[in-house]
Amino acid sequence: MPDGRPLWERPGLRTVAGDTLRPGGFALTDRAAEAMDMMPGWRVLDVGCGLGATLGRLRARFGARAYGVEFSAEQIEKAKRTGMVRGKGDCLPFGDGTFSAVFCECVLSLFADPKTGLDEFNRVLEAGGFLALSDLCAPDDDGAGAGSCADRAVSFARTRTMVEEAGFEVELVEDHSRLLRDLAAKLVWVGESGCGCNARGGLGYFLMIARKKGWTHV
Amino acid sequence: MSVIQVPEADAGQWRCATCDEELALRPVELEYLDSLFNVALPACPKCGMVLIPENLALGKMNQVEHLLEDK
Ligand SMILES: [Zn+2]
């Protein structure tokens, strides 16, 4: 019988991806934190934090005061971590200018309205604050519809435009499509071959660091 | 890197022909193109010979190869 649960709640994905549930594990989390020179004590928000693995990582390795927002009550229950609140990424339960950095890893393409989400990220960031965005990207914008993250992925150009229109300046972009391919291959190994990660040809994976506008160099 | 367990990795009736040893599951690194996978496979505890069961070679292994070559 086909497993109707979303991919990120199936045990197969836990086995191959550990607790991070996304391509590359912590590699891109670390990469982003280093690229923005994250300092101990920074208030950092992870949107769509799942089991909170990124929170633990950013606390332990970078000394961040990390908070997470997760929509799935089941994930929050399972995570048993502090600093996690239930909420939606496009309606964040935090005041304006609260955070030095916002992380959104492999989640934005699941948003019903990514534009509203990006506006919210911008709102809760202080001026000059960083957005670390990693996600799937598609070769075109044809398939952007309902369904899995793979079905919903849009082109990188479209994502970049949305980020800029939400009031960010893009500082760094990296192509990490190999990490997506590796995850898809590992899912085949554990028998999750129905995975959406590979359902659509030509999918890629990227890391983007952007900064909230409205700050001045000193 | 965590070890991937696959149900196909069953030694069945196979023994190592050289050592006449029973095969036991052992983590084996499989490299293909740029990707590395750590998969538990039946291997000879004495000489290290690894058995890749036919249905694994023709099934998942083949699928993974296609997937990695595809892009
Ligand atoms: Zn032997």
Side-chain angles (χ1 to χ4, degrees):
Chain A
M1 206 179 83
D3 191 339
R5 279 175 296 164
L7 185 67
W8 56 92
E9 287 182 2
R10 281 186 231 162
L13 192 61
R14 287 291 292 281
T15 313
V16 296
D19 275 352
T20 57
L21 308 173
R22 59 170 181 272
F26 288 124
L28 298 188
T29 307
D30 290 350
R31 173 89 193 106
E34 280 157 18
M36 60 179 73
D37 265 326
M38 184 175 290
M39 305 296 278
W42 274 26
R43 291 170 71 96
V44 179
L45 178 67
D46 184 23
V47 178
C49 63
L51 295 166
T54 287
L55 306 186
R57 183 70 169 193
L58 294 177
R59 285 170 190 161
R61 204 168 164 124
F62 299 92
R65 282 187 284 160
Y67 299 83
V69 169
E70 171 57 47
F71 185 62
S72 156
E74 193 189 332
Q75 301 263 34
I76 294 179
E77 169 68 19
K78 236 188 258 170
K80 294 188 171 49
R81 266 182 211 273
T82 59
M84 281 176 67
V85 291
R86 182 150 192 238
K88 286 183 78 176
D90 51 11
C91 183
L92 297 171
F94 297 100
D96 298 359
T98 305
F99 296 100
S100 304
V102 168
F103 279 63
C104 186
E105 299 172 305
C106 207
V107 166
L108 189 70
S109 51
L110 291 168
F111 278 37
D113 181 7
K115 277 183 189 174
T116 314
L118 289 164
D119 287 342
E120 272 294 271
F121 301 171
N122 193 276
R123 182 184 66 75
V124 300
L125 276 171
E126 62 192 22
F130 291 89
L131 169 65
L133 187 65
S134 52
D135 212 342
L136 294 160
C137 52
D140 51 58
D141 291 321
D142 295 347
S148 73
C149 39
D151 296 329
R152 301 179 75 113
V154 299
S155 69
F156 177 75
R158 182 153 154 189
T159 302
R160 180 175 186 142
T161 304
M162 280 193 291
V163 168
E164 286 169 347
E165 283 175 358
F168 290 96
E169 210 163 309
V170 175
E171 286 216 327
L172 173 139
V173 173
E174 291 176 344
D175 178 5
H176 290 284
S177 301
R178 201 179 72 86
L179 298 176
L180 177 67
R181 249 182 10 232
D182 278 11
L183 178 60
K186 284 180 188 156
L187 287 164
V188 171
W189 283 118
V190 299
E192 287 279 357
S193 49
C195 161
C197 296
N198 204 39
R200 207 167 142 207
L203 282 182
Y205 201 75
F206 70 87
L207 170 68
M208 181 198 285
I209 310 276
R211 258 181 123 169
K212 177 173 174 170
K213 285 185 187 166
W215 57 289
T216 43
H217 290 279
V218 278
Chain B
M1 189 169 44
S2 58
V3 180
I4 301 168
Q5 313 282 343
V6 292
E8 292 92 335
D10 179 11
Q13 300 306 307
W14 291 91
R15 301 175 74 85
C16 178
T18 318
C19 318
D20 194 36
E21 289 276 337
E22 234 171 87
L23 305 184
L25 285 185
R26 182 168 74 79
V28 176
E29 286 194 345
L30 299 174
E31 203 180 343
Y32 192 75
L33 298 178
D34 292 333
S35 298
L36 190 70
F37 305 101
N38 206 347
V39 182
L41 291 177
C44 170
K46 219 168 177 182
C47 71
M49 185 278 299
V50 173
L51 171 76
I52 297 182
E54 191 183 14
N55 59 348
L56 184 65
L58 299 178
K60 283 177 183 172
M61 216 169 229
N62 193 23
Q63 262 178 281
V64 168
E65 282 180 23
H66 278 289
L67 200 154
L68 295 177
E69 281 165 356
D70 226 29
K71 294 184 190 160

